[in-house]
Amino acid sequence: MDGTFSGSGFSTRAIHVGSAPDPTTGAVIPPIHTSTTYKQDGVGGLRGGYEYSRSTNPTRDALQAALAAVEQGDAAFALASGLAAEDVLLRAAMRPGDHVVTPDDAYGGSHRLFSRVEGPWGMEMTPADLSDVDAVRAAVRPGSTKVVWVETPTNPMLRIADIAALADVAHEAGALLVVDNTFASPYLQQPLTLGADVVVHSTTKYVGGHSDVVGGALVVRTSGGADDAAGGELAEQIAFLQNAAGAVASPFDCWLTLRGLKTLAVRMERHCDNATVVAEHLAEHPGVASVLYPGLAGHPGHELATRQMLRGGGMVSFRVGSPEAAAAVVESTGVFTLAESLGGVESLIELPARMTHASVAGSALEVPGDLVRLSVGIEDAPDLVADLDQALERASAVPGGSQR
């Protein structure tokens, strides 16, 4: 055998693509290439195309190859953060005066980027309920809308959007369908296979998986879509901005993210196992008014989620009746850590209205004050349930809490 990669399974791709043994030493883990510059064999004589590490770097190339493989895309780009990736994409796909349709419960950081960074630059935005295809179609402005921006599941309300149907809506209007796949991860959902043109990730979250690296990524489809030439041009423009704007992921961050990607499948299975146990328990708890989890049969998007996601995911949100009770819950846990972010091996709990989504308070995207968001980790499920039970017990004394 010549050692050529030939596997097709998700974990095989995640572990092996971009990670061939080092040809010089035989090292099975790619080295971290920290060099900023590369010796030229005469003027313009580049070895492997490497000149300067903002432009290209072997460790970043390894991560990008792996990300493209697991998302079944044609080109991937690693950026310094998820928001850096979003900014690069919007500037690559849009011009001042262009319009984007966004979720009406988008991640607060994305909404801030759209409204306060891209807005003054000239981008126009219309929020819509992405679980309602007709509402999205009504929000599209033919000739002006260049991007339909999708989160599924959404953050933090965990609504589910029909990727294939929204791809049709976007393409009918000559727009791109962009899917933020951070919550689902490439293991649970692969939007490019459902008609999306671009996938966005905060690789800080499930892809990295250990709360120790900040990063973002774009994965682009340049073949098999409605307009292959346009996909290729978009990839070229993203590559240009990755270098020209310079918000690239560092070699060490790329190496950490690539390491995390190798175990994504096994981690996501445990995240999903635990989230299911937690969601089912909370759904029966008298101190909980409602539970939002796509893996529950009672979730309004459950049937769609079962079609386009492998499992329900590791995120669970629930409501407890009052902002005061919600604050008491998040401040009373011991195994769940009160912190922003998500997707790490440890379980996190937060109050979106006052934390991750505080920037949208008073807007159409404001989230309920009694909503608690969980990033369910990979600890032992009975310990997670017991921790939430004791926190809900403490919150039960707070006026306004749920009394089901």
Side-chain angles (χ1 to χ4, degrees):
M1 296 180 63
D2 62 5
T4 302
F5 171 77
S6 60
S8 60
F10 180 91
S11 289
T12 305
R13 284 179 278 133
I15 291 168
H16 290 286
V17 173
S19 296
D22 182 74
T24 301
T25 66
V28 297
I29 298 300
I32 306 172
H33 292 272
T34 59
S35 182
T36 59
T37 191
Y38 305 84
K39 183 184 186 303
Q40 299 187 18
D41 299 320
V43 177
L46 307 183
R47 301 183 188 181
Y50 295 106
E51 178 182 19
Y52 185 63
S53 272
R54 185 189 69 247
S55 305
T56 50
N57 174 275
T59 312
R60 189 164 78 240
D61 285 349
L63 172 62
Q64 291 175 161
L67 288 170
V70 296
E71 281 287 6
Q72 301 194 50
D74 299 301
F77 305 89
L79 285 302
S81 69
L83 287 171
E86 293 184 19
D87 182 55
V88 163
L89 176 59
L90 291 170
R91 293 180 188 274
M94 305 181 70
R95 295 294 177 266
D98 287 344
H99 175 253
V100 58
V101 178
T102 66
D104 64 358
D105 63 335
Y107 163 54
S110 296
H111 182 264
R112 181 179 60 231
L113 175 71
F114 297 153
S115 62
R116 299 179 61 183
V117 177
E118 313 298 351
W121 177 64
M123 186 187 83
E124 299 181 9
M125 173 184 68
T126 300
D129 178 359
L130 297 188
S131 64
D132 183 342
V133 175
D134 290 335
V136 176
R137 185 177 285 110
V140 168
R141 303 176 188 173
S144 176
T145 301
K146 301 302 181 185
V147 169
V148 175
W149 190 281
V150 174
E151 290 179 15
T152 183
T154 58
N155 179 8
M157 300 303 292
L158 298 173
R159 295 175 183 162
I160 303 297
D162 188 330
I163 295 172
L166 293 180
D168 289 341
V169 171
H171 296 156
E172 288 168 5
L176 297 171
L177 185 77
V178 176
V179 177
D180 183 338
N181 203 28
T182 299
F183 262 36
S185 87
Y187 177 67
L188 298 180
Q189 179 173 269
Q190 295 168 356
L192 298 179
T193 68
L194 299 172
D197 300 289
V198 186
V199 165
V200 179
H201 279 285
S202 171
T203 54
T204 308
K205 312 303 193 298
Y206 284 112
V207 173
H210 293 78
S211 302
D212 57 6
V213 57
V214 173
L218 301 170
V219 185
V220 181
R221 181 178 59 168
T222 63
S223 62
D227 189 340
D228 292 354
E233 292 172 6
L234 178 64
E236 290 178 2
Q237 185 65 12
I238 291 171
F240 170 78
L241 287 171
Q242 183 187 39
N243 177 50
V248 296
S250 75
F252 186 58
D253 288 349
C254 288
W255 186 86
L256 284 172
T257 304
L258 184 61
R259 183 186 66 168
L261 183 62
K262 293 176 187 294
T263 61
L264 179 62
V266 292
R267 286 188 287 106
M268 289 309 301
E269 286 290 343
R270 181 62 174 260
H271 283 299
C272 293
D273 287 345
N274 283 354
T276 300
V277 171
V278 165
E280 290 176 347
H281 180 78
L282 291 174
E284 300 298 325
H285 197 288
V288 175
S290 62
V291 178
L292 309 177
Y293 182 61
L296 292 179
H299 187 282
H302 175 71
E303 182 179 351
L304 176 58
T306 60
R307 295 204 308 267
Q308 66 185 27
M309 293 175 66
L310 185 62
R311 298 189 62 184
M315 302 299 298
V316 177
S317 293
F318 63 98
R319 300 183 66 175
V320 292
S322 74
E324 294 78 14
V329 170
V330 303
E331 291 173 353
S332 299
T333 55
V335 181
F336 282 85
T337 300
L338 177 59
E340 298 187 2
S341 198
L342 59 104
V345 294
E346 67 289 317
S347 292
L348 303 179
I349 190 169
E350 65 119 355
L351 194 60
R354 290 170 53 186
M355 296 172 67
T356 53
H357 290 68
S359 63
V360 299
S363 76
L365 279 73
E366 184 173 5
V367 300
D370 69 331
L371 186 78
V372 175
R373 192 190 76 178
L374 305 176
S375 174
V376 182
I378 65 173
E379 302 95 338
D380 295 295
D383 292 332
L384 298 176
V385 168
D387 191 36
L388 291 170
D389 278 348
Q390 65 83 24
L392 286 163
E393 177 64 26
R394 295 190 184 189
S396 64
V398 176
S402 176
Q403 301 295 326
R404 280 198 303 166

